[in-house]
C-alpha cells in the first residue's frame, strides 16, 4: 500500500520538505547560454520568502533542475492582519489591469481588497501552502523564459517532487546534498564558490558583514567567536542555520545550538569526500557528527549514496528506522519509501 501525494505535506509529521523541479524533458533550459535564468530563480525565491509563510532553508539552481529545502510556518500566517495578507499577495502577484498593465498598489486599493473577507481567507490559505509557493515560483519564470525564447509551451515538468524530512541528521544531510550539487556536477571546486546555492549566499552574506573570521572561530569551538557570529544571519533572507531564540534571537533557525560556522565546517569536510573520496576527520567535525548520533563513516556513506543517485526515489527521508516504522503504523501502511537506508 502506498501513501497518496496529498497526504505527504502534513505539518503534523514534519515542517521540512525538499522540493525538486525539473525542466521539461530534462533539457538544459537554465544552462548552455541561459545561465542568467538561474539568477531569476534565485531572486524569485528571495521575493517569495518575504511573502509566504514558507521559509527557504536551502537551494541549488542547476542547468536542468532546481532543489529547494523549505520549512512550512503555518502558525505565522494566522497572526497576519488582513492588510498583511493583501500586501504579501500583491508582492508575489502584482495586480494587473485587463490590458495587462501593472496597477499601482495604493492604500486605497489595499483597503478595497481587505473588505473582501472571503477573498482574504482564500489568500491567507494560499500563503501557507507549499503547492502555491512552488506555483508562484515556477509559473512566472516559465513565462519569462518563453518570452525570451519567443515560444509557447511547458518549461517545467508538470509536478514537483516533495520529500518529507523527518529528523535532524536527515535535515543536515539534505542541506549538504543540495549545497554540494554543483560541486558534484563539476560546476564548482569549493562549496563557497558553488554558483546559485544557499551555501554561497550564506558565505557572501557573512563576508559582507565582516564575520568570516568569527565564523571560523565559532566552528572551532570558541565561545567568543560563537557569540560574535551568532547574529550574522538575523537579517538574512534565508532561514538561519542556528536557532538562537533561547539566546534572544528573533528568528527560528534550523537547529538549536548548531552554528553557521559548524555547518560551513561540515560542508567543507563533506565536499572533500566528494572531490577526493576521503577527508581527514578533525576534532570539530567529529564532535558535530557525534552530536547528531552519527559518525564520519555513516555520514560519508549517506552523502555518497545521495549524490550518487541520478534521481531521488522516495517520499520520506529519515535516518531513524524506528521513526519510519512508527509513522508507517500511524498511516496504516506496511512501510514508507525512505530516500536512503535508515540506521537501526
Amino acid at each position: 500500500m502506498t501513501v497518496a501525494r496529498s497526504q505527504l505535506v502534513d505539518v503534523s509529521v514534519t515542517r521540512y520538505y525538499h522540493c525538486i523541479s525539473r525542466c521539461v524533458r530534462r533539457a538544459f533550459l537554465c544552462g548552455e547560454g541561459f545561465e542568467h535564468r538561474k539568477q531569476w530563480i534565485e531572486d524569485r525565491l528571495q521575493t517569495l520568502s518575504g511573502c509566504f509563510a514558507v521559509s527557504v532553508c536551502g537551494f541549488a539552481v542547476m542547468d536542468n533542475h532546481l532543489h529547494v529545502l523549505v520549512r512550512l510556518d503555518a502558525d505565522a500566517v494566522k497572526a497576519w492582519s488582513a492588510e498583511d495578507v493583501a500586501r504579501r499577495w500583491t508582492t508575489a502577484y502584482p495586480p494587473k489591469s485587463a490590458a495587462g498593465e501593472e496597477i499601482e498598489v495604493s492604500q486605497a486599493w489595499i483597503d478595497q481588497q481587505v473588505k473582501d473577507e472571503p477573498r482574504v481567507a482564500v489568500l491567507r490559505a494560499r500563503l501557507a501552502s507549499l503547492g502555491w509557493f512552488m506555483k508562484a515560483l515556477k509559473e512566472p519564470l516559465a513565462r519569462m523564459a518563453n518570452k525570451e525564447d519567443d515560444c509557447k509551451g511547458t518549461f517545467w515538468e508538470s509536478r514537483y517532487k516533495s520529500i518529507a524530512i523527518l529528523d535532524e541528521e536527515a535535515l543536515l544531510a539534505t542541506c549538504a546534498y543540495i549545497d554540494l550539487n554543483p560541486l558534484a556536477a563539476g560546476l564548482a571546486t569549493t562549496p563557497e564558490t558553488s554558483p546559485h546555492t544557499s551555501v554561497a549566499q550564506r558565505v557572501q552574506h557573512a563576508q559582507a558583514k565582516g564575520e568570516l573570521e568569527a565564523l571560523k572561530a565559532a566552528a572551532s569551538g570558541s565561545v567568543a567567536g560563537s557569540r560574535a557570529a551568532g547574529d550574522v544571519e538575523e537579517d538574512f533572507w534565508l532561514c538561519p542555520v542556528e536557532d538562537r531564540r533561547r539566546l534572544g534571537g528573533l528568528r527560528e533557525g534550523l537547529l538549536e545550538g548548531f552554528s553557521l560556522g559548524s555547518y560551513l565546517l561540515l560542508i567543507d569536510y563533506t565536499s572533500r569526500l566528494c572531490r577526493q573520496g576521503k577527508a581527514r576527520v578533525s576534532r570539530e567535525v567529529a564532535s558535530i557528527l557525534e552530536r547528531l548520533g552519527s559518525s564520519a563513516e555513516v555520514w560519508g556513506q549517506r552523502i555518497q549514496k545521495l549524490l550518487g543517485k541520478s534521481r531521488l526515489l522516495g517520499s520520506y527521508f529519515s535516518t531513524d528506522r524506528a521513526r519510519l516504522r512508527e509513522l508507517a503504523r500511524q498511516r496504516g501502511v506496511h512501510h514508507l519509501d525512505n530516500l536512503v537506508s535508515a540506521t537501526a
Side-chain angles (χ1 to χ4, degrees), residues 47-48 50-52 80-95 104-114 120 123-124 127:
T47 295
L48 296 181
C51 303
F52 280 72
W80 296 342
S81 68
E83 181 171 336
D84 288 336
V85 170
R87 288 194 178 278
R88 286 171 179 269
W89 186 257
T90 55
T91 300
Y93 285 99
E104 180 185 355
V105 180
S106 63
Q107 184 61 49
W109 191 90
I110 290 290
D111 292 342
Q112 186 64 33
Q113 303 304 306
V114 167
V120 169
L123 297 183
R124 190 185 298 275
L127 289 171

Side-chain angles (χ1 to χ4, degrees), residues 4-306:
R5 179 184 177 84
S6 60
Q7 292 180 300
L8 298 181
V9 180
D10 182 354
V11 293
S12 67
V13 172
T14 181
R15 298 162 61 204
Y16 291 96
Y17 289 88
H18 175 192
C19 301
I20 307 162
S21 281
R22 298 183 182 277
C23 297
V24 66
R25 301 183 307 278
R26 300 199 200 182
F28 284 28
L29 301 182
C30 292
E32 299 179 349
F34 296 104
E35 288 85 357
H36 58 281
R37 292 175 178 173
K38 295 179 181 180
Q39 191 61 51
W40 292 354
I41 296 172
E42 196 169 332
D43 292 344
R44 183 66 175 166
L45 275 172
Q46 183 170 354
T47 295
L48 296 181
S49 71
C51 303
F52 280 72
V54 177
S55 296
V56 179
C57 306
F59 70 89
V61 188
M62 306 297 288
D63 288 349
N64 65 352
H65 66 284
L66 163 70
H67 293 274
V68 186
L69 175 63
V70 299
R71 183 183 65 218
L72 306 183
D73 299 323
D75 288 341
V77 75
K78 299 173 185 176
W80 296 342
S81 68
E83 181 171 336
D84 288 336
V85 170
R87 288 194 178 278
R88 286 171 179 269
W89 186 257
T90 55
T91 300
Y93 285 99
K96 295 184 178 180
S97 67
E101 298 177 349
E102 257 189 45
I103 298 172
E104 180 185 355
V105 180
S106 63
Q107 184 61 49
W109 191 90
I110 290 290
D111 292 342
Q112 186 64 33
Q113 303 304 306
V114 167
K115 291 177 183 177
D116 189 345
E117 293 183 5
R119 172 68 174 168
V120 169
V122 168
L123 297 183
R124 190 185 298 275
R126 288 180 181 178
L127 289 171
S129 165
L130 176 57
W132 270 96
F133 177 87
M134 293 301 292
K135 177 185 175 73
L137 172 63
K138 294 165 61 178
E139 278 191 352
L141 297 165
R143 287 195 294 270
M144 290 168 67
N146 283 349
K147 183 178 180 180
E148 183 177 61
D149 293 338
D150 192 24
C151 71
K152 297 181 179 180
T154 304
F155 184 88
W156 302 100
E157 287 184 356
S158 58
R159 301 295 293 271
Y160 67 91
K161 179 178 180 62
S162 64
I163 302 167
I165 311 300
L166 303 182
D167 60 61
E168 284 191 352
E169 189 176 352
L171 180 61
L172 269 182
T174 300
C175 289
Y177 166 79
I178 290 174
D179 278 331
L180 293 175
N181 246 249
L183 189 142
L187 301 177
T189 56
T190 60
E192 63 271 18
T193 61
S194 296
H196 305 289
T197 60
S198 45
V199 67
Q201 279 251 11
R202 293 186 194 279
V203 170
Q204 289 165 15
H205 178 73
Q207 191 170 30
K209 298 192 73 173
E211 296 286 7
L212 276 184
E213 290 305 314
L215 286 178
K216 292 176 184 177
S220 300
S222 164
V223 175
S226 181
R227 287 174 179 166
D231 297 330
V232 67
E233 294 194 291
E234 241 346 275
D235 60 349
F236 192 36
W237 70 272
L238 284 171
C239 174
V241 169
E242 185 177 9
D243 188 344
R244 296 177 59 83
R245 289 176 296 171
R246 288 193 182 184
L247 301 174
L250 301 177
R251 300 178 62 198
E252 180 180 0
L254 292 175
L255 297 171
E256 188 174 342
F258 190 87
S259 70
L260 173 59
S262 294
Y263 177 68
L264 295 179
L265 186 65
L266 182 61
I267 286 291
D268 179 68
Y269 164 76
T270 309
S271 72
R272 296 175 193 276
L273 292 178
C274 300
R275 298 196 305 270
Q276 305 164 8
K278 60 181 180 179
R280 183 180 68 84
V281 184
S282 67
R283 176 179 58 81
E284 293 82 13
V285 169
S287 67
I288 291 170
L289 296 172
E290 183 179 342
R291 180 216 146 155
L292 293 170
S294 186
S295 67
E297 182 181 7
V298 171
W299 175 265
Q301 289 175 351
R302 185 167 288 125
I303 291 295
Q304 295 284 15
K305 285 180 181 178
L306 285 172

